[in-house]
Amino acid sequence: MKVSDLPAPLPATIADGVFPAGCPSRTVLDHITSKWGVLILLSLSEGDQRWSELRRRAEGISEKMLAQTLKTLERDGLVRRDAQPVIPPRVDYSLTERGRELSTLLIPLVTWAFDNADAIIGGQN
Amino acid sequence: MKVSDLPAPLPATIADGVFPAGCPSRTVLDHITSKWGVLILLSLSEGDQRWSELRRRAEGISEKMLAQTLKTLERDGLVRRDAQPVIPPRVDYSLTERGRELSTLLIPLVTWAFDNADAIIGGQN
DNA sequence: TAAGGTACTGACATGAAAGTAAGTGACCTC
DNA sequence: GAGGTCACTTACTTTCATGTCAGTACCTTA
């Protein structure tokens, strides 16, 4: 094993503690690691999408959860909502700069989960 | 259903769809993005730790949740449990190779959340 | 005339996740 | 022999995330 294989050290604030309860970072972490949050962010990292596309792509999501998750992500400044006043309605969702930043970190994680899923779940007798 | 049963390999499958409901990768993702799972993995990335140390560092966790989370992570092959038959008992927890791999992906994410938390939460009038 | 697409919202139900609190066993110290 | 330490387990309760379903407003296609 090489030294370079070791994980990068955590910032001292995080390392010691792990980090405080009730800290905003916990809330943010909860949002971005939520069941549907990850999926939405990932889906949008592929490009702008409409409500109905997201609904299809985040397989299994209910309309209520889609609305709720999008609202949270929008409030967090990760997703942009662009409603056009046409009939029938057309609403496009896209990542903000911050959202794109986040998705670049999320992608390796999800890719890893995807690659290791069989070994992890399969290896449990 | 196994991930390896899916038609296309990696980028395409994740990109398109986002990925299937009921897929093992969703389960794995749920484990590693769980509220306490992240904190435990992160804490252990700093080095081996005992039960009581983890309890302190993952601030706010109950004993029940600590036990449950550790069990899940152990089953997933991410955490190693080393119990010494001494009195009083001493149990050391550490990351497996797979766990260390994962933590290298988790750290940038958590660091990002930490760095952006104030801007995200604060920016919501 | 009816059915379907589009992007939602709101009321209600439920089930899983999480918290609370107490108990356990083997020993050691006071 | 009372109380403390350590690493848990178990039973019970509460909270919250999520699901289900119905409704809205307007237009298009069959």
Side-chain angles (χ1 to χ4, degrees):
Chain A
M1 183 184 170
K2 286 174 281 168
V3 174
S4 56
D5 288 334
L6 291 166
L10 291 166
T13 13
I14 296 184
D16 183 32
V18 168
F19 49 95
C23 173
S25 48
R26 289 249 186 133
T27 308
V28 171
L29 209 56
D30 277 355
H31 292 180
I32 65 183
T33 63
S34 75
K35 179 173 178 180
W36 299 116
V38 180
L39 260 42
I40 299 291
L41 288 169
L42 222 72
S43 186
L44 285 178
S45 78
E46 293 290 306
D48 298 12
Q49 272 150 71
R50 302 181 61 177
W51 167 276
S52 49
E53 285 179 274
L54 282 170
R55 182 151 165 50
R56 259 201 319 281
R57 287 167 56 96
E59 216 181 278
I61 198 171
S62 68
E63 301 205 315
K64 187 192 148 196
M65 274 300 104
L66 181 52
Q68 201 176 105
T69 307
L70 282 170
K71 232 174 245 171
T72 302
L73 295 177
E74 205 193 338
R75 263 180 74 90
D76 288 350
L78 300 168
V79 162
R80 189 181 303 113
R81 181 177 182 277
D82 179 31
Q84 284 146 262
V86 296
I87 302 272
R90 178 189 178 98
V91 184
D92 289 301
Y93 291 95
S94 55
L95 293 182
T96 62
E97 191 48 47
R98 189 188 278 162
R100 209 168 298 116
E101 210 177 296
L102 174 58
S103 78
T104 61
L105 301 175
L106 232 34
I107 288 171
L109 186 70
V110 175
T111 305
W112 184 91
F114 197 81
D115 288 343
N116 289 266
D118 283 348
I120 289 174
I121 301 295
Q124 293 172 179
N125 58 330
Chain B
M1 179 188 191
K2 291 206 207 112
V3 172
S4 53
D5 291 340
L6 291 165
L10 181 68
T13 336
I14 292 187
D16 180 32
V18 166
F19 49 95
C23 174
S25 48
R26 290 246 186 133
T27 308
V28 170
L29 210 55
D30 279 354
H31 291 180
I32 66 184
T33 62
S34 74
K35 178 173 178 181
W36 299 116
V38 179
L39 261 41
I40 299 291
L41 288 169
L42 223 72
S43 185
L44 284 178
S45 79
E46 293 291 306
D48 298 11
Q49 273 150 71
R50 301 181 62 175
W51 167 275
S52 48
E53 284 180 275
L54 283 170
R55 183 150 166 51
R56 255 201 323 280
R57 287 169 56 96
E59 217 180 278
I61 197 171
S62 67
E63 301 205 313
K64 184 193 147 192
M65 276 299 106
L66 180 53
Q68 202 176 105
T69 307
L70 282 170
K71 233 175 245 172
T72 302
L73 296 177
E74 205 193 339
R75 261 180 75 91
D76 288 351
L78 300 167
V79 163
R80 188 180 304 114
R81 181 178 181 277
D82 178 30
Q84 283 146 263
V86 296
I87 302 280
R90 178 191 179 99
V91 183
D92 288 301
Y93 291 94
S94 55
L95 293 181
T96 62
E97 192 50 46
R98 188 187 280 162
R100 208 169 298 117
E101 212 177 294
L102 174 58
S103 78
T104 59
L105 301 174
L106 232 33
I107 288 170
L109 187 70
V110 175
T111 305
W112 184 92
F114 196 82
D115 290 343
N116 289 266
D118 284 347
I120 289 174
I121 301 296
Q124 294 170 181
N125 59 331

